[in-house]
Amino acid sequence: MGLFIAQLLTGLANAATLFLVASGLSLIFGVTRIVNFAHGSFYMLGAFAGYSLMQVLPGAIGFWASVLLSGLIVGVIGVIVEILVLRPVYKAPELFQLVATFGVILVIQDLALMIWGAEDLLGPRAPGLKGVVRIMGEPVPKYDLALIAITPFVLFGLWYLITRTRVGVLVRAATQDREMVAALGVNQSWLFTGVFFLGAALAGLGGAIQLPKGGADLLMDFNILAAIFVVVVIGGMGSLPGAYIAAVLISVLNVFGVSYLPQSTLVLMFVVMAVVLTIRPYGLLGREEVVGEHGQVGEPERPIKPAGTKARLLVGALLIALLALPAVGSHFLVILATDIIIFCLFAASLHFLLGLGGLVSFGHAAYFGGGAYVAGLLVTHAHAPMELAFLLAPVGAGLAAVIVGWLCLRLTGVYFAMLTLALAQLLWSLVFQWDEFTGGDDGLVDIWPASWLSESNSYFYFTVIVGVGGIILLRHIAHSPFGYALRASRDSQRQAEATGINTKRVQWMAFTLAGALAGVSGALFVFSKGSVFPNELEIAKSFDALIVVFLGGVKTLSGGVVGAASLELVKDYLTRFEYWRLTLGLLIIVVVILAPHGIVGSLRKLYDKVFGSNDDPDSTGLNTPGTTQSRDMPGGVSGGGVS
Amino acid sequence: MRQWVMFVLELTGVNSFYGKAHILRDLGFSIQAGEVVSLLGRNGAGKTTTVKSIMQLVSPASGEVTFDGQSLTHLPTHRVAKLGIGYVPEERRIFTDLTISENLEVGRQPPRDGVFEWTQDIVFELFPNLAERRNNRGKALSGGEQQMLSIARTLMGNPRLLLLDEPSEGIAPVIVEQMAQTILKLKSEGLPVLLSEQNLHFAKIVSDRAIIIEGGLKKYDGAFAELESQPEIRDAYLSV
Amino acid sequence: MNGEVATDISNAVLAVQGLSKSFGGIHAVTDVHFQIAKGELLAMIGPNGAGKTTCFNMLMGQLSPTNGSVFLMGENITGMKPRKVWRKGVGRTFQITGTYQSMTVIENIQMALISHHRKLYSIRPYATRLYREEAMSLLELVGMAEQAERACAILAYGDLKRLELAIALCHQPQLLLMDEPTAGMAPRERIALMQLTADIVQEKNLSVLFTEHDMDVVFAHAHRVMVLNRGQLIANGSVEQIRHDATVREVYLGGGSVFADETVGDVRA
Amino acid sequence: MKMKKSVVAIVMAAVVAVGLMGTSQATFAADPIKIGEINHYKRMAAFAGPYKNGIELALGEINDAGGVIGQPLEFIYRDDQGKPGEAIKIAEELVSREGVAMLTGTILSNVGLAISSFAAEKKVVYLASEPLADGLVWEKGNDYTFRLRASTYMQAAMLAEAAAKTDAVKYATIAPNYAYGKDAVAAFKKALTALRPDVEFVAEQWPAVFKIDAGAEVQALERAKPDAIYNVTFGGDVAKFVREGTTRGLFDGRHVYGLLTGEPEYLEPLADEAPEGWTVTGYPWYDFEEGANKVFVDAYMAKYDESPKIGSLVGYMTAQSIAAAITRAGSTDMEALRTAFIGLDVDTPIGAIQFREQDHQSTMGAFVGTTTVVDGKGVMVDWSYKDGASYLPSDEEVAKLRPASN
């Protein structure tokens, strides 16, 4: 019994940090609709700032002052990020901002390395709270009790702010319809900035307050990211009490998991999430989201046309250039081109889902890595020949996509995105920890191609045929009745259903197809590298694909491919430099600001500007109600809200 | 009792675009104190764009909008609202997750010199059926009630001028009649109103003057009564 | 309840019996009965929140009724999914247009035709070459042939409404459900759209059920009018009967000052 | 608004440009022998930095002495972001574009395994400097891969030897839940039960790497009431574990064995909270009073004005080993180089080591000692150097573990 209570208390204490950071994320998402990938970075900065302050400020007062100051400092950093990076892109298509926040992650990683160095910093202990209290004979650290006591006050304070004050009313109103709030005389941009300050400050506070239980290191940002996404989704997006309950639930279950299922670490959290979302798709306290066309808000995509003669010639010329590469280019250029084509196919498969289907998957790496692992496992355990493994890889990845798609497509918008992320993480943690079968972190090695492909040049040709073939296949499908049905389901699910289209089935099939093709790219990958490791299933890999699709241009068919090729080339160049993450991060932010329609989209706009376009300039279509989706969802996409 | 100091809204040579589409072409008119003016025209004629151009929700490419002598052009929308221009959008756009009281709170602005100061109680007097549901969420309201709430919310900002964009759209005739009474009441107390409308019957009841636009160009600006004597204009642009 | 004779359901294009829907404890629609005959233009009017949209959604399958049944040509379609109802021969237009913004005008029609011809899962390019002639003739029907290749996103509002009408006609429906077809339109456009609808109804011998707030439109075009208030059918009769019904005037029409005070017969001529 | 946007963009572009300029590469002497060094310079900067310093120290000495076979030796350092796939790509580039003589590097075992597989496929010599996975030279060993550092098995066996001398019977283990942790626990169990068949393992805790829930882990270990604890956690995890364990009294009256815990990389961040009385493997650079070890430490501190880590020593020995192999081969011919590594003897700060013929594992050993806190810093005392050769399985066993080399 004593142990039970002690474990419960440990769980509650662990929930404190998780809640602080997650509530900030939830708040920012609720109001600005921005999925702030950089939230983990704010948390990390809070820890580093707190550490430095605690070196200077002595005693108990100094300690707590440092915690508060860290929150303040990180809040101010959040404000700077909001003003410099996000404000210029608020008008960009929905979710484009998340690319900018990814740039922020890279910048902060390198800045933190420059300022605080590479070594892990062990957090100072809280003065006056170093010891333990015996509760029913079990030792409970005093600091744990302090954390348990503080959190409800923070929760209450936030709840009061949001539900009982004028600022809170304005924030909630802005969550729903920013423009209307402005039209009623409220300076909503400062309201946003304020919310960003508060959200970032909470993350910073979370970072500082965990110092006595941990420390500050450069891996903190990504380490907490999945956990806080899970908390926010389980609690219900935008719900603060929900975030608290979810943080407690996850933390307490985790503590018991550690004792009774010691190998369950990592997996448990995602299993809890899957269970909760199966029963309550919008989280414990979340409300059903108004169906919004994510990724497609703003200017609608232009009608697509079969490629013209010029475009065909251009693609043909590119293909010939590719095929001639081994003859004229260096060996390394061939290797680089192989990598780029593989990544392009991966990005194109996500683009198919995201651009044409409006289905934003945050966990697309699951199928890339999935395909690679299916092939790798077949070779390793069944000694399958390369050809068979290669054929079965997309089948395996497609099967995974069938299951994940079925679970996720019951949700829409950001809930859909978050659930794809969580399920991808579940797959990752399985692969990572089930090492008897998957090799765990040591991965699967010696997965080399069959002898007829073992030469880099022949493998390159193989990659060109399969990779470019896959991309062309996706393009053809985009022009097929099925591709049209997919776009119709995205443009107006209501109309599509009312004209006999089973939109869920269409989306499910698209999800499966995209998964299978990602699996093909994964298979190409594994045989080109000869090995596969769990990091090919990681969040960062999924983010890579997301970023290139957005950077390339969601609303253009070639966006994914162009984005992927550009980023791979830039990365190949930049990674030779010491602070390449800083540079790449800034580069991403610059592109996001200057080309809010993605590279292809913005180039096309520029082209139109210079050479004119076919659109009827006298059209008055946009002047009227109902022509845009805005009446469906005033002020962009609504959902959850802050409560 | 309620009193409004005299303000004048003036548009001169306004050109507005939506993307590449040229919506308003050299549009100019003014609204005097105490006047209710109807802005009439076909769908797509530019009525909503006119209202949005005043609010700076659409930024005019050229021309000027002034209010009480101050230029509104390129001001942020919230500053326009702060100057005392109350905007009721055509989609009503109430905050459905907030209660009626909270909706009104969002609209509340500090008192303004020489302008009647609205409070929730006074607003509820004007719209009694909102009063009884003040703690209900906006999503529970019917379309007519939402329209009322949208107007009430704007009044909470103590406006010096009211912009109503198609308030009768999609509302039962009996409610439209009630709304006409409300507008007439506000008018009798001196609040100037610019009303963008498709419903001629309704516009005729509440307004003195009509401005007709077509393809973003002003085609008529004069008393409603005189419109009757100019059937060619009425039939060409309004056609009832 | 009204003058309608409760005939055999199989004779009516649409027969609705005892339709009810409650959300939580709130009765949105209570015990509604009506029928639509072939070639009939039936208007459903009533204050906001009277249950018109709920009714519509139950007919089309977006909502399943708490009680009651819906028969289409004698077949019970209660609770069928929208896409099944559509395949049975019901077309629908929306109050807020639901066109495919990323496609051209003609592709919007082709999409519906692809669905009608059950080619949805074909992955052979190019969709845009399928059923072009059929689509073109529909566009001609609604007078939009010249705009066939324009992007749907830049259409004027009235044209969008016409496009939606053409989409709804793709599968040669028996019945058309139109939810506030003229909402947001100027008076002249309203008349034109309803005139177009009336002509098509006559030519194809269709039946139409529509909701509408513009009494000018209702009184000019409806063959018969139903009035819904607080979820209940309070009147069902000819235009003249409805116009002078005291209850309807009280709950809905009011003093009649905001619509034309007599039926404008000549508009339809 | 438009203007503001572009101003922000221009400022950022300028910063980008400056960032690129500031990092442009220096020029090198003509005709050096190039070695491709792949590591996780960003992801594991705290480990990779001292390691690189160690290499540079050795290179300075080698080149000052005239290089190898008459040519200067040069390392090309590349960051793989900790991703095996990226490491393979870089390996390809180093071999094909830079024309490196051989490959070396990596800390993480998985990246090491990936490069090792690549090395066998493309017939390039790879010296795995730091990765510890046993599989690297055994189950997944190949002709082209050699490993310098004492493997997980060797170090675990050293601790097991110490543990076997106590009367503790009930053991609990805590290790990160991935391949390295599992290897380390399995090796310890195997070695210890071989010496003491009577011990039993009463609890196994598997925290996720770098995501330890220390309070819960301590409670779970306490629940099992073990006589002794074997710890494999490292980095930030071990710091959190030590702090929670000390606070909650987990270590009171128990033997604790910590794999790598005595390495400066892990001990230094703990400062005065370093655990006391743990038996650990590590690197007591502060205690050397004479000999090659002392010379190395002094040279290192003179050059970098900071104390060496175990990584510094490994880096130094890596460069030494490669120089020795090239000298022995007399050329940079790949096959000659590979043959030169087999049975290669290298003289290093910690004594002579040999790259064994049977499994390509070097006989580099480890320092085993007891932790304590001196002047607010964690240090090892009562340490001794254990020669790696004594902690490897018998040749027959190795032959069984290592599949027939291709």
Side-chain angles (χ1 to χ4, degrees):
Chain A
M1 190 61 200
L3 180 67
F4 181 83
I5 301 276
Q7 285 174 319
L8 199 65
L9 292 173
T10 304
L12 283 171
N14 290 346
T17 301
L18 207 51
F19 167 69
L20 281 173
V21 186
S23 65
L25 181 73
S26 190
L27 204 61
I28 289 176
F29 173 78
V31 177
T32 64
R33 313 317 284 177
I34 290 176
V35 180
N36 180 26
F37 283 172
H39 208 68
S41 306
F42 290 153
Y43 164 70
M44 178 173 82
L45 283 178
F48 277 116
Y51 179 87
S52 296
L53 287 167
M54 285 168 199
Q55 307 302 308
V56 190
L57 302 175
I61 294 172
F63 174 84
W64 292 106
S66 302
V67 171
L68 290 177
L69 272 174
S70 312
L72 213 62
I73 290 169
V74 176
V76 171
I77 293 170
V79 168
I80 294 170
V81 167
E82 199 268 348
I83 292 177
L84 283 185
V85 179
L86 295 173
R87 266 197 200 177
V89 291
Y90 274 137
K91 294 223 164 106
E94 172 102 359
L95 290 178
F96 193 62
Q97 296 93 347
L98 62 81
V99 182
T101 65
F102 191 81
V104 172
I105 294 181
L106 293 174
V107 171
I108 290 180
Q109 276 177 341
D110 262 3
L111 287 181
L113 176 64
M114 284 180 191
I115 298 171
W116 285 283
E119 261 171 53
D120 291 357
L121 303 175
L122 183 62
R125 314 190 68 166
L129 295 171
K130 286 182 186 167
V132 293
V133 175
R134 295 253 162 210
I135 295 178
M136 301 177 77
E138 294 290 330
V140 176
K142 285 182 188 164
Y143 193 71
D144 277 17
L145 294 174
L147 286 178
I148 295 169
I150 291 168
T151 322
F153 285 104
V154 178
L155 173 64
F156 178 77
L158 285 173
W159 174 83
Y160 188 86
L161 178 74
I162 297 295
T163 59
R164 289 291 182 268
T165 65
R166 173 170 167 84
V167 171
V169 171
L170 295 180
V171 162
R172 280 182 289 142
T175 300
Q176 208 183 340
D177 189 344
R178 305 165 197 181
E179 194 179 72
M180 195 58 226
V181 168
L184 290 168
V186 179
N187 188 346
Q188 47 109 21
S189 53
W190 283 108
L191 206 58
F192 272 39
T193 310
V195 165
F196 225 87
F197 171 83
L198 187 59
L202 283 167
L205 221 52
I209 211 165
Q210 61 82 45
L211 279 170
K213 287 170 73 74
D217 62 71
L218 292 168
L219 298 176
M220 288 173 81
D221 50 354
F222 268 103
N223 276 349
I224 201 165
L225 209 51
I228 56 176
F229 275 22
V230 166
V231 166
V232 167
V233 171
I234 291 184
M237 307 254 353
S239 167
L240 293 173
Y244 182 70
I245 295 171
V248 168
L249 181 73
I250 291 287
S251 304
V252 169
L253 279 179
N254 221 26
V255 168
F256 288 107
V258 163
S259 278
Y260 302 101
L261 302 161
Q263 305 229 23
S264 72
T265 46
L266 285 186
V267 185
L268 187 68
M269 181 165 75
F270 300 109
V271 172
V272 172
M273 171 162 175
V275 170
V276 169
L277 291 188
T278 309
I279 300 163
R280 290 190 59 91
Y282 295 92
L284 292 172
L285 297 184
R287 272 173 282 144
E288 179 158 359
E289 193 177 5
V290 176
V291 177
E293 271 88 307
H294 284 273
Q296 285 297 326
V297 178
E299 213 174 306
E301 166 189 321
R302 293 183 204 188
I304 55 171
K305 286 182 208 139
T309 324
K310 249 195 245 172
R312 277 165 198 267
L313 283 176
L314 188 71
V315 171
L318 269 173
L319 259 178
I320 290 170
L322 263 183
L323 292 175
L325 194 65
V328 295
S330 72
H331 179 73
F332 175 67
L333 216 53
V334 172
I335 304 289
L336 184 64
T338 309
D339 278 5
I340 288 177
I341 293 169
I342 292 170
F343 192 47
C344 281
L345 177 60
F346 176 41
S349 72
L350 177 64
H351 181 272
F352 179 77
L353 203 58
L354 204 158
L356 295 183
L359 299 167
V360 185
S361 167
F362 280 1
H364 206 54
Y367 317 107
F368 176 82
Y373 263 96
V374 168
L377 288 169
L378 281 168
V379 171
T380 307
H381 294 299
H383 305 289
M386 178 248 182
E387 294 83 353
L388 179 69
F390 196 92
L391 285 176
L392 288 177
V395 176
L399 267 176
V402 165
I403 296 164
V404 173
W406 181 77
L407 280 169
C408 296
L409 280 167
R410 301 177 310 138
L411 306 177
T412 54
V414 173
Y415 279 89
F416 172 85
M418 293 285 194
L419 191 55
T420 55
L421 174 87
L423 291 173
Q425 281 298 99
L426 177 64
L427 193 65
W428 170 81
S429 53
L430 277 174
V431 168
F432 192 76
Q433 293 189 334
W434 190 11
D435 52 6
E436 295 83 357
F437 184 60
T438 62
D441 200 40
D442 280 351
L444 300 170
V445 293
D446 297 329
I447 323 286
W448 295 101
S451 52
W452 56 283
L453 285 175
S454 61
E455 259 301 299
S456 319
N457 283 352
S458 28
Y459 198 78
F460 169 74
Y461 286 123
F462 179 68
T463 306
V464 171
I465 291 164
V466 176
V468 177
I471 292 168
I472 289 174
L473 174 72
L474 281 171
R475 211 188 147 84
H476 271 260
I477 292 177
H479 286 287
S480 74
F482 178 71
Y484 270 63
L486 183 61
R487 281 198 297 145
S489 307
R490 175 201 69 194
D491 280 0
S492 175
Q493 184 166 34
R494 191 186 50 172
Q495 176 74 275
E497 282 284 335
T499 47
I501 301 176
N502 187 342
T503 54
K504 286 285 172 228
R505 188 195 288 169
V506 167
Q507 289 173 337
W508 195 16
M509 287 171 67
F511 198 89
T512 306
L513 178 71
L517 278 161
V520 172
S521 61
L524 281 173
F525 174 86
V526 68
F527 288 109
S528 80
K529 301 292 176 202
S531 54
V532 60
F533 298 85
N535 70 305
E536 301 306 334
L537 293 150
E538 254 173 18
I539 298 186
K541 185 85 190 177
S542 294
F543 284 7
D544 274 356
L546 270 178
I547 284 162
V548 298
V549 168
F550 277 109
L551 279 186
V554 182
K555 296 180 179 182
T556 43
L557 277 186
S558 53
V561 174
V562 171
S566 317
L567 187 78
E568 279 293 282
L569 276 173
V570 168
K571 249 191 179 170
D572 179 67
Y573 176 71
L574 283 183
T575 45
R576 289 149 210 270
F577 300 102
E578 166 128 39
Y579 287 107
W580 64 270
R581 288 189 303 196
L582 177 71
T583 316
L584 183 66
L586 288 175
L587 200 66
I588 288 175
I589 294 170
V590 169
V591 173
V592 165
I593 293 174
L594 290 186
H597 299 276
I599 297 169
V600 182
S602 294
L603 281 180
R604 207 159 67 174
K605 281 202 172 285
L606 189 72
Y607 179 88
D608 287 351
K609 223 178 196 171
V610 178
F611 299 102
S613 79
N614 309 325
D615 289 353
D616 186 352
D618 286 329
S619 152
T620 54
L622 292 170
N623 185 26
T624 50
T627 51
T628 65
Q629 301 288 350
S630 66
R631 267 170 63 149
D632 278 335
M633 330 165 265
V637 186
S638 100
V642 179
S643 57
Chain B
M1 46 168 283
R2 297 169 193 169
Q3 239 193 337
W4 281 272
V5 171
M6 309 290 142
F7 289 103
V8 176
L9 175 80
E10 187 142 22
L11 277 74
T12 35
V14 170
N15 282 282
S16 287
F17 291 79
Y18 255 110
K20 283 190 271 298
H22 195 169
I23 310 287
L24 300 185
R25 299 166 189 264
D26 288 328
L27 190 65
F29 63 82
S30 68
I31 295 171
Q32 306 300 320
E35 230 187 350
V36 175
V37 178
S38 288
L39 188 60
L40 307 171
R42 287 196 313 118
N43 203 278
K47 299 189 300 294
T48 296
T49 309
T50 306
V51 174
K52 287 191 169 175
S53 297
I54 296 170
M55 285 312 289
Q56 303 299 320
L57 286 165
V58 169
S59 202
S62 66
E64 189 147 42
V65 184
T66 62
F67 182 59
D68 188 25
Q70 183 177 352
S71 171
L72 305 183
T73 329
H74 305 313
L75 277 189
T77 297
H78 69 96
R79 294 272 308 279
V80 176
K82 282 234 176 219
L83 287 171
I85 300 185
Y87 167 62
V88 181
E90 61 176 333
E91 308 95 333
R92 300 165 198 139
R93 291 169 77 166
I94 62 157
F95 305 113
T96 48
D97 285 342
L98 272 56
T99 65
I100 291 181
S101 263
E102 286 173 337
N103 266 280
L104 295 177
E105 175 62 26
V106 178
R108 183 170 66 82
Q109 289 287 327
R112 226 179 270 289
D113 278 350
V115 176
F116 180 77
E117 191 185 334
W118 291 85
T119 63
Q120 292 210 0
D121 289 339
I122 302 174
V123 163
F124 286 142
E125 253 171 58
L126 196 62
F127 302 104
N129 43 349
L130 292 182
E132 51 197 72
R133 313 183 63 176
R134 67 179 74 192
N135 290 324
N136 286 21
R137 282 179 195 263
K139 70 174 80 161
L141 302 184
S142 73
E145 288 166 330
Q146 291 196 356
Q147 186 64 61
M148 297 299 179
L149 176 57
S150 188
I151 296 173
R153 182 179 64 182
T154 302
L155 290 177
M156 286 297 288
N158 307 317
R160 295 159 158 163
L161 167 71
L162 200 55
L163 308 178
L164 292 177
D165 199 359
E166 307 215 10
S168 75
E169 176 63 43
I171 308 263
V174 68
I175 310 282
V176 177
E177 284 178 358
Q178 278 176 28
M179 197 151 50
Q181 296 311 311
T182 307
I183 293 172
L184 287 173
K185 197 167 172 191
L186 293 171
K187 176 186 171 186
S188 72
E189 288 157 359
L191 177 64
V193 178
L194 176 64
L195 180 75
S196 142
E197 253 310 329
Q198 308 253 22
N199 186 332
L200 260 190
H201 312 291
F202 171 64
K204 208 152 59 177
I205 296 171
V206 296
S207 55
D208 323 292
R209 187 150 68 92
I211 296 170
I212 298 175
I213 55 173
E214 169 69 23
L217 289 164
K218 190 165 83 173
K219 297 292 183 183
Y220 178 83
D221 186 347
F224 235 107
E226 279 167 42
L227 196 54
E228 297 294 321
S229 62
Q230 299 191 16
E232 68 285 358
I233 291 191
R234 197 191 56 183
D235 293 350
Y237 302 116
L238 304 174
S239 83
V240 179
Chain C
M1 181 163 58
N2 51 55
E4 193 185 345
V5 186
T7 51
D8 179 9
I9 49 166
S10 57
N11 286 341
V13 172
L14 185 78
V16 172
Q17 293 188 331
L19 205 59
S20 302
K21 178 77 191 177
S22 40
F23 299 101
I26 300 150
H27 300 284
V29 171
T30 313
D31 197 28
V32 167
H33 292 260
F34 66 87
Q35 301 194 347
I36 303 175
K38 196 128 195 101
E40 192 176 27
L41 257 167
L42 174 60
M44 183 192 276
I45 64 172
N48 302 100
K52 301 190 298 288
T53 305
T54 308
C55 247
F56 251 62
N57 286 340
M58 283 191 284
L59 299 183
M60 198 62 203
Q62 265 101 351
L63 283 176
S64 45
T66 318
N67 260 315
S69 328
V70 181
F71 294 90
L72 181 77
M73 309 295 293
E75 184 184 353
N76 191 340
I77 60 162
T78 321
M80 258 184 203
K81 290 211 161 73
R83 54 175 186 273
K84 292 270 157 60
V85 175
W86 180 80
R87 294 218 181 270
K88 297 280 174 197
V90 181
R92 173 163 194 184
T93 68
F94 296 94
Q95 179 185 351
I96 299 160
T97 51
T99 45
Y100 308 130
Q101 298 283 300
S102 69
M103 300 183 194
T104 63
V105 170
I106 193 164
E107 284 170 354
N108 265 270
I109 312 268
Q110 287 171 299
M111 187 70 246
L113 287 168
I114 285 168
S115 176
H116 178 50
H117 292 283
R118 296 180 184 272
K119 282 275 194 295
L120 282 174
Y121 299 107
S122 159
I123 54 165
R124 288 188 53 191
Y126 290 93
T128 185
R129 291 177 192 159
L130 295 172
Y131 315 115
R132 268 189 77 86
E133 280 168 29
E134 225 176 316
M136 210 54 183
S137 66
L138 278 161
L139 282 177
E140 270 159 20
L141 187 68
V142 297
M144 287 196 57
E146 281 164 25
Q147 311 214 47
E149 300 303 334
R150 294 186 74 184
C152 182
I154 58 167
L155 280 191
Y157 188 57
D159 292 341
L160 272 178
K161 286 282 189 181
R162 286 196 283 164
L163 170 59
E164 217 183 19
L165 180 60
I167 294 174
L169 293 169
C170 271
H171 62 317
Q172 286 139 6
Q174 309 275 353
L175 172 69
L176 216 50
L177 300 179
M178 303 174 83
D179 198 357
E180 300 205 21
T182 74
M185 302 175 87
R188 184 202 274 180
E189 293 172 302
R190 291 180 199 250
I191 304 286
L193 183 79
M194 282 318 285
Q195 191 59 55
L196 176 68
T197 310
D199 291 345
I200 292 170
V201 165
Q202 197 163 23
E203 187 190 323
K204 311 227 162 194
N205 200 21
L206 290 177
S207 309
V208 175
L209 173 65
F210 70 107
T211 64
E212 186 55 66
H213 272 299
D214 188 315
M215 289 307 113
D216 295 340
V217 168
V218 171
F219 293 152
H221 294 284
H223 300 158
R224 189 155 58 91
V225 182
M226 292 188 297
V227 186
L228 218 57
N229 188 42
R230 294 173 193 243
Q232 289 179 312
L233 209 52
I234 58 165
N236 183 348
S238 72
V239 167
E240 279 313 304
Q241 284 171 326
I242 296 299
R243 243 180 191 307
H244 300 109
D245 187 307
T247 323
V248 175
R249 288 192 87 93
E250 190 197 321
V251 304
Y252 186 67
L253 290 179
S257 61
V258 294
F259 52 90
D261 43 11
E262 48 190 67
T263 307
V264 195
D266 57 340
V267 186
R268 292 176 67 192
Chain D
M1 193 62 204
K2 272 236 164 75
M3 221 186 79
K4 215 161 119 197
K5 253 190 182 180
S6 38
V7 168
V8 172
I10 287 167
V11 169
M12 289 187 172
V15 177
V16 170
V18 171
L20 288 181
M21 278 190 299
T23 53
S24 57
Q25 294 169 357
T27 49
F28 293 99
D31 285 323
I33 296 173
K34 291 181 187 171
I35 307 297
E37 208 288 329
I38 302 167
N39 231 314
H40 338 299
Y41 286 102
K42 283 285 149 135
R43 176 115 182 259
M44 309 217 63
F47 298 81
Y51 166 79
K52 187 177 170 186
N53 285 344
I55 293 179
E56 286 294 314
L57 179 63
L59 282 185
E61 291 169 3
I62 292 163
N63 288 334
D64 284 349
V68 285
I69 55 171
Q71 285 169 275
L73 193 59
E74 177 193 327
F75 274 53
I76 297 173
Y77 305 96
R78 291 290 304 273
D79 182 19
D80 60 14
Q81 308 167 51
K83 296 178 185 170
E86 199 65 29
I88 297 290
K89 185 171 123 193
I90 291 169
E92 300 252 23
E93 186 191 354
L94 287 170
V95 171
S96 68
R97 189 191 268 181
E98 303 285 354
V100 298
M102 60 170 282
L103 296 169
T104 182
T106 90
I107 296 164
L108 295 170
S109 290
N110 55 5
V111 184
L113 285 165
I115 298 178
S116 153
S117 169
F118 168 86
E121 175 79 10
K122 307 285 172 176
K123 307 207 178 337
V124 181
V125 173
Y126 167 51
L127 173 60
S129 46
E130 288 204 81
L132 297 177
D134 298 319
L136 204 54
V137 290
W138 293 344
E139 291 91 338
K140 289 166 186 160
N142 61 56
D143 285 352
Y144 287 84
T145 301
F146 300 83
R147 192 234 314 268
L148 174 62
R149 251 190 105 174
S151 66
T152 305
Y153 180 87
M154 294 156 78
Q155 303 205 34
M158 292 173 196
L159 292 181
E161 184 187 55
K165 291 174 187 155
T166 68
D167 52 7
V169 179
K170 289 196 285 183
Y171 279 81
T173 65
I174 178 164
N177 196 6
Y178 75 115
Y180 161 67
K182 293 191 175 169
D183 279 357
V185 170
F188 183 76
K189 274 182 166 177
K190 186 178 165 197
L192 183 58
T193 36
L195 296 166
R196 285 280 302 273
D198 59 326
V199 299
E200 57 173 323
F201 288 84
V202 291
E204 286 183 18
Q205 288 305 125
W206 302 100
V209 62
F210 297 143
K211 287 178 188 166
I212 192 171
D213 183 348
E217 298 291 351
V218 168
Q219 281 169 333
L221 287 172
E222 184 67 58
R223 199 169 66 104
K225 304 281 174 220
D227 302 329
I229 297 168
Y230 172 62
N231 165 63
V232 189
T233 63
F234 59 94
D237 285 349
V238 74
K240 291 174 197 169
F241 176 59
V242 167
R243 179 173 283 183
E244 284 287 342
T246 312
T247 307
R248 296 179 194 243
L250 174 67
F251 309 127
D252 298 348
R254 291 191 171 115
H255 298 281
V256 186
Y257 303 91
L259 197 67
L260 310 187
T261 314
E263 292 180 356
E265 280 91 333
Y266 303 124
L267 217 44
E268 278 178 14
L270 280 164
D272 63 343
E273 286 182 58
E276 297 197 55
W278 285 25
T279 307
V280 296
T281 61
Y283 181 50
W285 57 271
Y286 31 78
D287 264 2
F288 299 133
E289 277 158 13
E290 54 184 16
N293 269 318
K294 175 74 172 158
V295 172
F296 166 72
V297 171
D298 287 346
Y300 189 89
M301 291 182 71
K303 181 160 184 185
Y304 299 108
D305 198 26
E306 63 174 38
S307 56
K309 308 279 188 287
I310 184 82
S312 315
L313 178 67
V314 175
Y316 188 83
M317 289 169 65
T318 300
Q320 281 188 316
S321 304
I322 289 171
I326 296 171
T327 309
R328 187 178 183 200
S331 78
T332 54
D333 173 76
M334 200 59 83
E335 212 38 49
L337 205 50
R338 187 182 83 78
T339 326
F341 257 110
I342 298 171
L344 177 71
D345 290 304
V346 190
D347 215 14
T348 75
I350 54 169
I353 61 165
Q354 187 187 54
F355 285 87
R356 286 156 41 113
E357 192 180 342
Q358 48 275 59
D359 57 6
H360 295 190
Q361 169 70 43
S362 97
T363 57
M364 176 180 177
F367 297 91
V368 179
T370 310
T371 57
T372 190
V373 176
V374 175
D375 299 333
K377 280 184 200 138
V379 291
M380 280 167 77
V381 291
D382 302 331
W383 54 267
S384 58
Y385 176 73
K386 310 272 182 190
D387 186 2
S390 329
Y391 294 90
L392 282 158
S394 66
D395 286 356
E396 302 85 72
E397 224 172 311
V398 167
K400 259 189 273 166
L401 285 169
R402 194 173 159 93
S405 293
N406 45 331

